[in-house]
Amino acid sequence: MPRALLSTYDKAGVVDLARGLVDLGWDLVSSGGTAAAVAEAGLAVTDTAELTGFPAILGHRVVTLHPKVHGGILADRDDPGHLGDLAAHGIEPFDLVVVNLYPFSSDPSIELIDIGGPTLVRAAAKNFAHVGVVVDPDDYVRVLGELQRTGVLSLSTRKALARRAFAAITHYDTAISTWMAAESGDSVDLDEVGDPTGFPDTLELTYDMVDVALRYGENPHQPATVYRRRGADPWWDGVVQHAGVALSYLNLYDADAAWGLAHDLAAITGQPAVTIIKHANPCGASVGAELATTYQRAFDCDPRSAFGGIVALTEVVDEATAERMVAAAQADVVIAPGYAPGVVDALRAKRKNTRLLEAVAPTPDDLHLRPVTGGLLVQAPHRFVTDRADWRVVTERRPTEAEWADAELAWRVCGWVASNAIVLVKDRTTWGIGAGQQNRVESGELAATKAAGRAAGGACASDAFYPFPDGIEAAAAAGVAVIIQPGGSVRDESCIAAADQLGVAMVLTGERHFKH
């Protein structure tokens, strides 16, 4: 007669599973709360203390750690020696082990470090050739259904369950290791700028594939999927798609950039923000009190690049904004916190291929990871350290309040643009963005060409210092009134002198914002 060992912290669904097993003629062995729940349901169950002849001791720290339990799980039934040991010691084998662990992640503490549970799981997973192991209550119905149909779990099912079991143990141990690192002070300190000792010696990461169907990767011939880091709650995992075909890899990648930038701008200005992203770079950004006008200004920054781009709006899309979207170039993705009644239908009717996403605000990660061949580059996530209170005006001319507002917005957007980055802003709207060039002058020339005079009287931001005055001259030629940049070049004085000669105000922030 087949036997199952049930040892669960989360009792959800375990009685139904037990009842289904008993109906199929299985014997049940259990302990503690699980045994009590099964017995209260009127099902026959053998307590592990009766099986082992040894009660639970040490405050329930030792319950199942016994040869009568682990011998029955680990025995290779194709090995005559193992079968002889079972017979000699009166040990009966187990065919199914059902375990879920103490919820360490919910309330980390020494007492919630499970010992017996992971040991049972590892033993059963190791012996998947003969034993099924279930660690997730979501699998109960599937496992019981297969047993009801065929009488046994197939080898492929047992192998799949074993892999899930080892992954669960890996995650569990990772959570403990991470907690221990934090408790001992061996964790990332984001305030320790440039100090590698702020990072732990090892980095344990666990990710789960999520139900977000990506059409393909960066190109159609590349399969792609997405994983969620255990413990994280990313905005895209709960996104609601109202229209359009499935997302691709780049749709999601670019939407993440657009959504992050839009919320960053809304947070610092206190006004609705609209951003348009193409190939992970902004091609338009604006903040303003009225969403439809703000969208239009963001789009007008670079209408050609906006075609097929990602539009992010921090306010519910109203009818007036939707009308502007329909009149503008088609976007691949629109992402917003919601849509007014009738807006989804109106957009879907005119832009049937546009993916309309509804999402919550993004939450930044605690680490930024980037793969390199054979490893990971790890850094603190991008953030703005200084603000206006820390910045220095180094020219004879000081910015006006309107120029300060433009400079602050230009600086913020610039930090989201691929280096070398130059951003031109007027009236809290980007009008020229130069991105990803190998030298700063050409980024400035690109930005000025796209602005076409619309940034006159506004601000120019550079993500790193100007090494030569020619960049200052290019910004002045675009008509800006203020330049904001980190400073720190050996030629700062000559750049400041050039700004003074051109009548342009210059602000030094003291921090660089390269983005690659």
Side-chain angles (χ1 to χ4, degrees):
M1 185 176 294
R3 279 203 316 170
L5 175 64
L6 311 178
S7 179
T8 61
Y9 185 94
D10 179 1
K11 306 300 187 293
V14 73
V15 170
D16 290 337
L17 174 65
R19 183 176 292 108
L21 292 173
V22 169
D23 289 344
L24 292 173
W26 285 58
D27 284 340
L28 305 180
V29 176
S30 188
S31 65
T34 307
V38 172
E40 287 172 8
L43 303 173
V45 59
T46 300
D47 194 281
T48 53
E50 181 182 345
L51 176 71
T52 64
F54 213 95
I57 62 172
L58 305 181
H60 218 72
R61 284 189 174 189
V62 177
V63 182
T64 57
L65 299 172
H66 192 280
K68 287 270 181 132
V69 175
H70 287 277
I73 296 172
L74 282 165
D76 180 352
R77 298 169 208 181
D78 295 324
D79 186 325
H82 285 206
L83 296 178
D85 286 340
L86 293 182
H89 298 286
I91 299 173
E92 295 182 48
F94 286 101
D95 304 281
L96 182 67
V97 174
V98 180
V99 176
N100 56 66
L101 309 177
Y102 294 167
F104 177 85
S105 295
S106 65
D107 184 21
S109 66
I110 291 297
E111 288 308 315
L112 282 182
I113 297 178
D114 202 332
I115 301 300
T119 306
L120 292 172
V121 170
R122 290 183 65 86
K126 174 178 178 175
N127 200 23
F128 67 84
H130 304 284
V131 181
V133 57
V134 184
V135 296
D136 188 342
D138 288 344
D139 288 328
Y140 291 172
V141 172
R142 181 168 69 91
V143 167
L144 185 58
E146 184 170 337
L147 290 173
Q148 290 168 336
R149 289 191 308 273
T150 67
V152 295
L153 294 178
S154 68
L155 177 59
S156 62
T157 295
R158 296 195 303 272
K159 186 178 292 187
L161 290 170
R163 191 202 65 77
R164 288 169 63 85
F166 280 123
I169 296 301
T170 298
H171 166 62
Y172 198 77
D173 288 344
T174 296
I176 296 170
S177 175
T178 302
W179 176 71
M180 294 290 287
E183 288 292 295
S184 65
D186 183 23
S187 60
V188 178
D189 184 352
L190 300 184
D191 293 324
E192 294 294 327
V193 178
D195 181 7
T197 62
F199 293 88
D201 292 335
T202 61
L203 185 64
E204 296 88 4
L205 303 170
T206 304
Y207 290 80
D208 296 305
M209 187 184 294
V210 298
D211 187 20
V212 177
L214 300 183
R215 295 178 68 202
Y216 49 78
E218 286 186 285
N219 300 288
H221 63 275
Q222 294 174 268
T225 190
V226 60
Y227 292 82
R228 180 189 62 243
R229 183 168 57 83
R230 286 277 180 94
D233 188 21
W235 66 266
W236 45 261
D237 195 23
V239 74
V240 177
Q241 184 168 344
H242 293 290
V245 297
L247 295 167
S248 71
Y249 175 103
L250 288 178
N251 289 152
L252 185 54
Y253 184 80
D254 289 348
D256 191 51
W259 201 224
L261 173 57
H263 281 273
D264 189 28
L265 298 184
I268 66 165
T269 63
Q271 290 191 311
V274 177
T275 60
I276 304 176
I277 295 287
K278 192 71 171 289
H279 300 305
N281 269 307
C283 58
S286 184
V287 296
E290 200 270 318
L291 191 64
T293 301
T294 303
Y295 164 76
Q296 190 65 55
R297 290 166 69 85
F299 175 79
D300 288 344
C301 174
D302 190 353
R304 180 185 297 172
S305 297
F307 177 80
I310 312 294
V311 179
L313 312 95
T314 60
E315 300 290 319
V316 171
V317 180
D318 55 21
E319 185 177 347
T321 305
E323 289 175 358
R324 299 286 186 104
M325 289 181 174
V326 169
Q330 178 165 313
D332 270 8
V333 177
V334 175
I335 177 171
Y339 299 83
V343 165
V344 168
D345 289 338
L347 289 174
R348 188 161 41 200
K350 297 292 185 179
R351 294 284 187 252
K352 63 180 181 179
N353 291 326
T354 298
R355 301 140 176 101
L356 302 178
L357 307 183
E358 181 177 332
V360 299
T363 302
D365 284 331
D366 54 356
L367 290 176
H368 180 261
L369 312 176
R370 174 168 287 165
V372 292
T373 303
L376 282 175
L377 293 173
V378 181
Q379 64 177 348
H382 175 259
R383 60 187 178 131
F384 292 85
V385 179
T386 64
D387 57 24
R388 181 172 168 177
D390 305 302
W391 300 343
R392 293 188 300 127
V393 179
V394 293
T395 48
E396 296 174 2
R397 183 181 179 281
R398 299 185 64 83
T400 66
E401 280 305 310
E403 291 164 5
W404 268 117
D406 285 341
E408 288 177 301
L409 187 75
W411 178 244
R412 207 74 179 196
V413 173
C414 199
W416 291 76
V417 178
S419 302
N420 287 309
I422 299 292
V423 174
L424 304 182
V425 166
K426 180 70 168 70
D427 296 331
R428 300 183 120 187
T429 299
T430 58
W431 296 114
I433 300 174
Q437 300 305 301
Q438 289 82 358
N439 67 75
R440 197 158 301 280
V441 173
E442 289 183 2
S443 286
E445 291 171 348
L446 278 173
T449 298
K450 290 183 177 183
R454 294 175 295 176
C460 170
S462 172
D463 63 349
F465 63 66
Y466 284 99
F468 301 101
D470 53 4
I472 307 300
E473 294 163 358
V480 301
V482 57
I483 296 172
I484 184 167
Q485 56 128 332
S489 168
V490 295
R491 297 182 180 85
D492 272 354
E493 291 305 319
S494 62
C495 291
I496 294 168
D500 278 330
Q501 184 176 1
L502 294 164
V504 176
M506 182 180 290
V507 177
L508 302 186
T509 67
E511 63 174 336
R512 190 182 76 184
H513 278 284
F514 275 167
K515 180 179 183 293
H516 289 72

PDB file of all heavy atoms in Angstrom, residues 139-169:
ATOM      1  N   ASP A 139       0.202  22.767  -6.251  1.00  0.00           N
ATOM      2  CA  ASP A 139       0.417  21.532  -7.005  1.00  0.00           C
ATOM      3  C   ASP A 139      -0.453  20.376  -6.505  1.00  0.00           C
ATOM      4  O   ASP A 139      -0.454  19.295  -7.109  1.00  0.00           O
ATOM      5  CB  ASP A 139       1.892  21.113  -6.934  1.00  0.00           C
ATOM      6  CG  ASP A 139       2.791  22.015  -7.764  1.00  0.00           C
ATOM      7  OD1 ASP A 139       2.320  22.508  -8.805  1.00  0.00           O
ATOM      8  OD2 ASP A 139       3.954  22.228  -7.378  1.00  0.00           O
ATOM      9  N   TYR A 140      -1.175  20.567  -5.402  1.00  0.00           N
ATOM     10  CA  TYR A 140      -1.941  19.456  -4.830  1.00  0.00           C
ATOM     11  C   TYR A 140      -2.951  18.889  -5.819  1.00  0.00           C
ATOM     12  O   TYR A 140      -3.054  17.665  -6.001  1.00  0.00           O
ATOM     13  CB  TYR A 140      -2.693  19.906  -3.566  1.00  0.00           C
ATOM     14  CG  TYR A 140      -1.831  20.232  -2.369  1.00  0.00           C
ATOM     15  CD1 TYR A 140      -2.395  20.806  -1.223  1.00  0.00           C
ATOM     16  CD2 TYR A 140      -0.456  19.989  -2.360  1.00  0.00           C
ATOM     17  CE1 TYR A 140      -1.627  21.109  -0.113  1.00  0.00           C
ATOM     18  CE2 TYR A 140       0.325  20.302  -1.256  1.00  0.00           C
ATOM     19  CZ  TYR A 140      -0.274  20.864  -0.131  1.00  0.00           C
ATOM     20  OH  TYR A 140       0.483  21.183   0.959  1.00  0.00           O
ATOM     21  N   VAL A 141      -3.699  19.764  -6.449  1.00  0.00           N
ATOM     22  CA  VAL A 141      -4.759  19.300  -7.354  1.00  0.00           C
ATOM     23  C   VAL A 141      -4.169  18.540  -8.538  1.00  0.00           C
ATOM     24  O   VAL A 141      -4.672  17.476  -8.940  1.00  0.00           O
ATOM     25  CB  VAL A 141      -5.610  20.489  -7.839  1.00  0.00           C
ATOM     26  CG1 VAL A 141      -6.581  20.054  -8.933  1.00  0.00           C
ATOM     27  CG2 VAL A 141      -6.375  21.102  -6.675  1.00  0.00           C
ATOM     28  N   ARG A 142      -3.072  19.072  -9.090  1.00  0.00           N
ATOM     29  CA  ARG A 142      -2.460  18.412 -10.253  1.00  0.00           C
ATOM     30  C   ARG A 142      -1.916  17.035  -9.874  1.00  0.00           C
ATOM     31  O   ARG A 142      -2.086  16.057 -10.619  1.00  0.00           O
ATOM     32  CB  ARG A 142      -1.332  19.294 -10.801  1.00  0.00           C
ATOM     33  CG  ARG A 142      -0.641  18.715 -12.027  1.00  0.00           C
ATOM     34  CD  ARG A 142       0.234  19.771 -12.680  1.00  0.00           C
ATOM     35  NE  ARG A 142       1.383  20.125 -11.869  1.00  0.00           N
ATOM     36  CZ  ARG A 142       2.570  19.527 -11.967  1.00  0.00           C
ATOM     37  NH1 ARG A 142       2.749  18.537 -12.827  1.00  0.00           N
ATOM     38  NH2 ARG A 142       3.580  19.909 -11.216  1.00  0.00           N
ATOM     39  N   VAL A 143      -1.243  16.965  -8.718  1.00  0.00           N
ATOM     40  CA  VAL A 143      -0.667  15.687  -8.284  1.00  0.00           C
ATOM     41  C   VAL A 143      -1.765  14.671  -7.995  1.00  0.00           C
ATOM     42  O   VAL A 143      -1.707  13.509  -8.439  1.00  0.00           O
ATOM     43  CB  VAL A 143       0.223  15.911  -7.047  1.00  0.00           C
ATOM     44  CG1 VAL A 143       0.573  14.586  -6.379  1.00  0.00           C
ATOM     45  CG2 VAL A 143       1.500  16.645  -7.441  1.00  0.00           C
ATOM     46  N   LEU A 144      -2.791  15.100  -7.266  1.00  0.00           N
ATOM     47  CA  LEU A 144      -3.874  14.174  -6.947  1.00  0.00           C
ATOM     48  C   LEU A 144      -4.604  13.752  -8.218  1.00  0.00           C
ATOM     49  O   LEU A 144      -4.979  12.574  -8.369  1.00  0.00           O
ATOM     50  CB  LEU A 144      -4.847  14.845  -5.971  1.00  0.00           C
ATOM     51  CG  LEU A 144      -5.977  13.966  -5.435  1.00  0.00           C
ATOM     52  CD1 LEU A 144      -5.429  12.737  -4.715  1.00  0.00           C
ATOM     53  CD2 LEU A 144      -6.877  14.775  -4.500  1.00  0.00           C
ATOM     54  N   GLY A 145      -4.777  14.667  -9.146  1.00  0.00           N
ATOM     55  CA  GLY A 145      -5.441  14.327 -10.400  1.00  0.00           C
ATOM     56  C   GLY A 145      -4.685  13.260 -11.170  1.00  0.00           C
ATOM     57  O   GLY A 145      -5.302  12.329 -11.738  1.00  0.00           O
ATOM     58  N   GLU A 146      -3.354  13.365 -11.213  1.00  0.00           N
ATOM     59  CA  GLU A 146      -2.577  12.343 -11.934  1.00  0.00           C
ATOM     60  C   GLU A 146      -2.673  10.999 -11.238  1.00  0.00           C
ATOM     61  O   GLU A 146      -2.786   9.946 -11.891  1.00  0.00           O
ATOM     62  CB  GLU A 146      -1.120  12.787 -12.049  1.00  0.00           C
ATOM     63  CG  GLU A 146      -0.275  11.826 -12.879  1.00  0.00           C
ATOM     64  CD  GLU A 146       1.123  12.372 -13.197  1.00  0.00           C
ATOM     65  OE1 GLU A 146       1.304  13.615 -13.175  1.00  0.00           O
ATOM     66  OE2 GLU A 146       2.022  11.554 -13.472  1.00  0.00           O
ATOM     67  N   LEU A 147      -2.643  11.004  -9.909  1.00  0.00           N
ATOM     68  CA  LEU A 147      -2.782   9.746  -9.169  1.00  0.00           C
ATOM     69  C   LEU A 147      -4.159   9.127  -9.408  1.00  0.00           C
ATOM     70  O   LEU A 147      -4.288   7.897  -9.520  1.00  0.00           O
ATOM     71  CB  LEU A 147      -2.563   9.995  -7.673  1.00  0.00           C
ATOM     72  CG  LEU A 147      -1.132  10.334  -7.250  1.00  0.00           C
ATOM     73  CD1 LEU A 147      -1.092  10.732  -5.782  1.00  0.00           C
ATOM     74  CD2 LEU A 147      -0.195   9.150  -7.502  1.00  0.00           C
ATOM     75  N   GLN A 148      -5.176   9.949  -9.490  1.00  0.00           N
ATOM     76  CA  GLN A 148      -6.522   9.429  -9.740  1.00  0.00           C
ATOM     77  C   GLN A 148      -6.655   8.852 -11.144  1.00  0.00           C
ATOM     78  O   GLN A 148      -7.376   7.866 -11.357  1.00  0.00           O
ATOM     79  CB  GLN A 148      -7.547  10.537  -9.513  1.00  0.00           C
ATOM     80  CG  GLN A 148      -7.703  10.930  -8.050  1.00  0.00           C
ATOM     81  CD  GLN A 148      -8.504  12.213  -7.863  1.00  0.00           C
ATOM     82  OE1 GLN A 148      -8.578  13.044  -8.790  1.00  0.00           O
ATOM     83  NE2 GLN A 148      -9.078  12.400  -6.690  1.00  0.00           N
ATOM     84  N   ARG A 149      -5.941   9.450 -12.105  1.00  0.00           N
ATOM     85  CA  ARG A 149      -6.047   8.978 -13.492  1.00  0.00           C
ATOM     86  C   ARG A 149      -5.219   7.728 -13.746  1.00  0.00           C
ATOM     87  O   ARG A 149      -5.653   6.813 -14.444  1.00  0.00           O
ATOM     88  CB  ARG A 149      -5.594  10.080 -14.456  1.00  0.00           C
ATOM     89  CG  ARG A 149      -6.558  11.254 -14.557  1.00  0.00           C
ATOM     90  CD  ARG A 149      -6.172  12.163 -15.716  1.00  0.00           C
ATOM     91  NE  ARG A 149      -4.779  12.575 -15.677  1.00  0.00           N
ATOM     92  CZ  ARG A 149      -4.335  13.640 -15.008  1.00  0.00           C
ATOM     93  NH1 ARG A 149      -5.190  14.368 -14.292  1.00  0.00           N
ATOM     94  NH2 ARG A 149      -3.055  13.972 -15.029  1.00  0.00           N
ATOM     95  N   THR A 150      -3.989   7.700 -13.203  1.00  0.00           N
ATOM     96  CA  THR A 150      -3.052   6.637 -13.582  1.00  0.00           C
ATOM     97  C   THR A 150      -2.605   5.757 -12.428  1.00  0.00           C
ATOM     98  O   THR A 150      -1.995   4.715 -12.658  1.00  0.00           O
ATOM     99  CB  THR A 150      -1.797   7.261 -14.224  1.00  0.00           C
ATOM    100  OG1 THR A 150      -1.083   8.010 -13.234  1.00  0.00           O
ATOM    101  CG2 THR A 150      -2.174   8.177 -15.377  1.00  0.00           C
ATOM    102  N   GLY A 151      -2.877   6.185 -11.195  1.00  0.00           N
ATOM    103  CA  GLY A 151      -2.471   5.387 -10.039  1.00  0.00           C
ATOM    104  C   GLY A 151      -1.076   5.689  -9.545  1.00  0.00           C
ATOM    105  O   GLY A 151      -0.723   5.321  -8.416  1.00  0.00           O
ATOM    106  N   VAL A 152      -0.252   6.337 -10.386  1.00  0.00           N
ATOM    107  CA  VAL A 152       1.130   6.660  -9.994  1.00  0.00           C
ATOM    108  C   VAL A 152       1.495   8.022 -10.593  1.00  0.00           C
ATOM    109  O   VAL A 152       0.842   8.515 -11.518  1.00  0.00           O
ATOM    110  CB  VAL A 152       2.139   5.604 -10.507  1.00  0.00           C
ATOM    111  CG1 VAL A 152       1.894   4.259  -9.854  1.00  0.00           C
ATOM    112  CG2 VAL A 152       2.092   5.510 -12.023  1.00  0.00           C
ATOM    113  N   LEU A 153       2.554   8.603 -10.038  1.00  0.00           N
ATOM    114  CA  LEU A 153       3.126   9.804 -10.641  1.00  0.00           C
ATOM    115  C   LEU A 153       4.191   9.380 -11.647  1.00  0.00           C
ATOM    116  O   LEU A 153       5.063   8.555 -11.327  1.00  0.00           O
ATOM    117  CB  LEU A 153       3.759  10.706  -9.577  1.00  0.00           C
ATOM    118  CG  LEU A 153       2.815  11.338  -8.556  1.00  0.00           C
ATOM    119  CD1 LEU A 153       3.607  12.169  -7.544  1.00  0.00           C
ATOM    120  CD2 LEU A 153       1.761  12.198  -9.240  1.00  0.00           C
ATOM    121  N   SER A 154       4.129   9.910 -12.838  1.00  0.00           N
ATOM    122  CA  SER A 154       5.109   9.550 -13.856  1.00  0.00           C
ATOM    123  C   SER A 154       6.493  10.045 -13.463  1.00  0.00           C
ATOM    124  O   SER A 154       6.643  10.957 -12.632  1.00  0.00           O
ATOM    125  CB  SER A 154       4.716  10.165 -15.200  1.00  0.00           C
ATOM    126  OG  SER A 154       4.842  11.583 -15.130  1.00  0.00           O
ATOM    127  N   LEU A 155       7.510   9.452 -14.081  1.00  0.00           N
ATOM    128  CA  LEU A 155       8.886   9.878 -13.811  1.00  0.00           C
ATOM    129  C   LEU A 155       9.077  11.348 -14.183  1.00  0.00           C
ATOM    130  O   LEU A 155       9.733  12.102 -13.457  1.00  0.00           O
ATOM    131  CB  LEU A 155       9.871   9.006 -14.603  1.00  0.00           C
ATOM    132  CG  LEU A 155      11.355   9.390 -14.459  1.00  0.00           C
ATOM    133  CD1 LEU A 155      11.788   9.306 -13.000  1.00  0.00           C
ATOM    134  CD2 LEU A 155      12.231   8.502 -15.344  1.00  0.00           C
ATOM    135  N   SER A 156       8.481  11.784 -15.288  1.00  0.00           N
ATOM    136  CA  SER A 156       8.647  13.181 -15.685  1.00  0.00           C
ATOM    137  C   SER A 156       8.014  14.115 -14.662  1.00  0.00           C
ATOM    138  O   SER A 156       8.562  15.188 -14.357  1.00  0.00           O
ATOM    139  CB  SER A 156       8.025  13.412 -17.068  1.00  0.00           C
ATOM    140  OG  SER A 156       6.631  13.159 -17.045  1.00  0.00           O
ATOM    141  N   THR A 157       6.869  13.713 -14.088  1.00  0.00           N
ATOM    142  CA  THR A 157       6.240  14.532 -13.052  1.00  0.00           C
ATOM    143  C   THR A 157       7.103  14.567 -11.801  1.00  0.00           C
ATOM    144  O   THR A 157       7.319  15.632 -11.201  1.00  0.00           O
ATOM    145  CB  THR A 157       4.840  13.985 -12.715  1.00  0.00           C
ATOM    146  OG1 THR A 157       3.993  14.129 -13.856  1.00  0.00           O
ATOM    147  CG2 THR A 157       4.235  14.745 -11.543  1.00  0.00           C
ATOM    148  N   ARG A 158       7.612  13.400 -11.388  1.00  0.00           N
ATOM    149  CA  ARG A 158       8.450  13.366 -10.185  1.00  0.00           C
ATOM    150  C   ARG A 158       9.716  14.194 -10.371  1.00  0.00           C
ATOM    151  O   ARG A 158      10.159  14.877  -9.442  1.00  0.00           O
ATOM    152  CB  ARG A 158       8.807  11.911  -9.827  1.00  0.00           C
ATOM    153  CG  ARG A 158       7.612  11.053  -9.464  1.00  0.00           C
ATOM    154  CD  ARG A 158       8.033   9.761  -8.772  1.00  0.00           C
ATOM    155  NE  ARG A 158       8.943   8.951  -9.555  1.00  0.00           N
ATOM    156  CZ  ARG A 158       8.585   8.036 -10.456  1.00  0.00           C
ATOM    157  NH1 ARG A 158       7.287   7.831 -10.701  1.00  0.00           N
ATOM    158  NH2 ARG A 158       9.482   7.337 -11.100  1.00  0.00           N
ATOM    159  N   LYS A 159      10.264  14.159 -11.557  1.00  0.00           N
ATOM    160  CA  LYS A 159      11.483  14.944 -11.826  1.00  0.00           C
ATOM    161  C   LYS A 159      11.170  16.442 -11.784  1.00  0.00           C
ATOM    162  O   LYS A 159      11.923  17.245 -11.231  1.00  0.00           O
ATOM    163  CB  LYS A 159      12.066  14.544 -13.176  1.00  0.00           C
ATOM    164  CG  LYS A 159      13.415  15.197 -13.470  1.00  0.00           C
ATOM    165  CD  LYS A 159      13.980  14.722 -14.801  1.00  0.00           C
ATOM    166  CE  LYS A 159      14.379  13.275 -14.760  1.00  0.00           C
ATOM    167  NZ  LYS A 159      15.089  12.857 -16.001  1.00  0.00           N
ATOM    168  N   ALA A 160      10.029  16.827 -12.381  1.00  0.00           N
ATOM    169  CA  ALA A 160       9.645  18.241 -12.367  1.00  0.00           C
ATOM    170  C   ALA A 160       9.385  18.722 -10.936  1.00  0.00           C
ATOM    171  O   ALA A 160       9.778  19.825 -10.551  1.00  0.00           O
ATOM    172  CB  ALA A 160       8.406  18.455 -13.237  1.00  0.00           C
ATOM    173  N   LEU A 161       8.722  17.890 -10.151  1.00  0.00           N
ATOM    174  CA  LEU A 161       8.467  18.243  -8.758  1.00  0.00           C
ATOM    175  C   LEU A 161       9.766  18.349  -7.966  1.00  0.00           C
ATOM    176  O   LEU A 161       9.909  19.218  -7.093  1.00  0.00           O
ATOM    177  CB  LEU A 161       7.543  17.212  -8.114  1.00  0.00           C
ATOM    178  CG  LEU A 161       6.090  17.206  -8.609  1.00  0.00           C
ATOM    179  CD1 LEU A 161       5.361  15.975  -8.068  1.00  0.00           C
ATOM    180  CD2 LEU A 161       5.369  18.475  -8.182  1.00  0.00           C
ATOM    181  N   ALA A 162      10.716  17.483  -8.258  1.00  0.00           N
ATOM    182  CA  ALA A 162      12.009  17.530  -7.561  1.00  0.00           C
ATOM    183  C   ALA A 162      12.749  18.817  -7.889  1.00  0.00           C
ATOM    184  O   ALA A 162      13.366  19.443  -7.008  1.00  0.00           O
ATOM    185  CB  ALA A 162      12.845  16.314  -7.942  1.00  0.00           C
ATOM    186  N   ARG A 163      12.693  19.219  -9.150  1.00  0.00           N
ATOM    187  CA  ARG A 163      13.367  20.471  -9.512  1.00  0.00           C
ATOM    188  C   ARG A 163      12.743  21.650  -8.773  1.00  0.00           C
ATOM    189  O   ARG A 163      13.431  22.517  -8.253  1.00  0.00           O
ATOM    190  CB  ARG A 163      13.269  20.697 -11.020  1.00  0.00           C
ATOM    191  CG  ARG A 163      14.174  21.823 -11.517  1.00  0.00           C
ATOM    192  CD  ARG A 163      13.700  22.372 -12.844  1.00  0.00           C
ATOM    193  NE  ARG A 163      12.399  23.016 -12.753  1.00  0.00           N
ATOM    194  CZ  ARG A 163      12.204  24.232 -12.246  1.00  0.00           C
ATOM    195  NH1 ARG A 163      13.229  24.931 -11.777  1.00  0.00           N
ATOM    196  NH2 ARG A 163      11.003  24.757 -12.198  1.00  0.00           N
ATOM    197  N   ARG A 164      11.407  21.673  -8.712  1.00  0.00           N
ATOM    198  CA  ARG A 164      10.719  22.738  -7.981  1.00  0.00           C
ATOM    199  C   ARG A 164      11.082  22.695  -6.498  1.00  0.00           C
ATOM    200  O   ARG A 164      11.205  23.742  -5.840  1.00  0.00           O
ATOM    201  CB  ARG A 164       9.204  22.609  -8.158  1.00  0.00           C
ATOM    202  CG  ARG A 164       8.726  22.981  -9.553  1.00  0.00           C
ATOM    203  CD  ARG A 164       7.275  22.591  -9.780  1.00  0.00           C
ATOM    204  NE  ARG A 164       6.339  23.276  -8.904  1.00  0.00           N
ATOM    205  CZ  ARG A 164       5.835  24.472  -9.150  1.00  0.00           C
ATOM    206  NH1 ARG A 164       6.188  25.119 -10.234  1.00  0.00           N
ATOM    207  NH2 ARG A 164       4.973  25.013  -8.311  1.00  0.00           N
ATOM    208  N   ALA A 165      11.258  21.494  -5.981  1.00  0.00           N
ATOM    209  CA  ALA A 165      11.602  21.352  -4.567  1.00  0.00           C
ATOM    210  C   ALA A 165      12.990  21.912  -4.279  1.00  0.00           C
ATOM    211  O   ALA A 165      13.187  22.653  -3.305  1.00  0.00           O
ATOM    212  CB  ALA A 165      11.527  19.878  -4.159  1.00  0.00           C
ATOM    213  N   PHE A 166      13.953  21.557  -5.117  1.00  0.00           N
ATOM    214  CA  PHE A 166      15.311  22.087  -4.907  1.00  0.00           C
ATOM    215  C   PHE A 166      15.334  23.607  -5.074  1.00  0.00           C
ATOM    216  O   PHE A 166      16.055  24.310  -4.359  1.00  0.00           O
ATOM    217  CB  PHE A 166      16.297  21.431  -5.865  1.00  0.00           C
ATOM    218  CG  PHE A 166      16.766  20.073  -5.433  1.00  0.00           C
ATOM    219  CD1 PHE A 166      16.595  18.970  -6.252  1.00  0.00           C
ATOM    220  CD2 PHE A 166      17.389  19.891  -4.201  1.00  0.00           C
ATOM    221  CE1 PHE A 166      17.027  17.700  -5.848  1.00  0.00           C
ATOM    222  CE2 PHE A 166      17.834  18.636  -3.794  1.00  0.00           C
ATOM    223  CZ  PHE A 166      17.644  17.538  -4.617  1.00  0.00           C
ATOM    224  N   ALA A 167      14.540  24.130  -6.015  1.00  0.00           N
ATOM    225  CA  ALA A 167      14.466  25.583  -6.181  1.00  0.00           C
ATOM    226  C   ALA A 167      13.895  26.236  -4.925  1.00  0.00           C
ATOM    227  O   ALA A 167      14.358  27.306  -4.496  1.00  0.00           O
ATOM    228  CB  ALA A 167      13.610  25.932  -7.396  1.00  0.00           C
ATOM    229  N   ALA A 168      12.883  25.601  -4.325  1.00  0.00           N
ATOM    230  CA  ALA A 168      12.294  26.145  -3.100  1.00  0.00           C
ATOM    231  C   ALA A 168      13.310  26.157  -1.967  1.00  0.00           C
ATOM    232  O   ALA A 168      13.389  27.125  -1.190  1.00  0.00           O
ATOM    233  CB  ALA A 168      11.061  25.322  -2.713  1.00  0.00           C
ATOM    234  N   ILE A 169      14.098  25.103  -1.863  1.00  0.00           N
ATOM    235  CA  ILE A 169      15.118  25.053  -0.815  1.00  0.00           C
ATOM    236  C   ILE A 169      16.189  26.120  -1.064  1.00  0.00           C
ATOM    237  O   ILE A 169      16.671  26.778  -0.131  1.00  0.00           O
ATOM    238  CB  ILE A 169      15.764  23.652  -0.759  1.00  0.00           C
ATOM    239  CG1 ILE A 169      14.730  22.611  -0.353  1.00  0.00           C
ATOM    240  CG2 ILE A 169      16.929  23.648   0.220  1.00  0.00           C
ATOM    241  CD1 ILE A 169      14.091  22.850   0.987  1.00  0.00           C
TER     242      ILE A 169
END
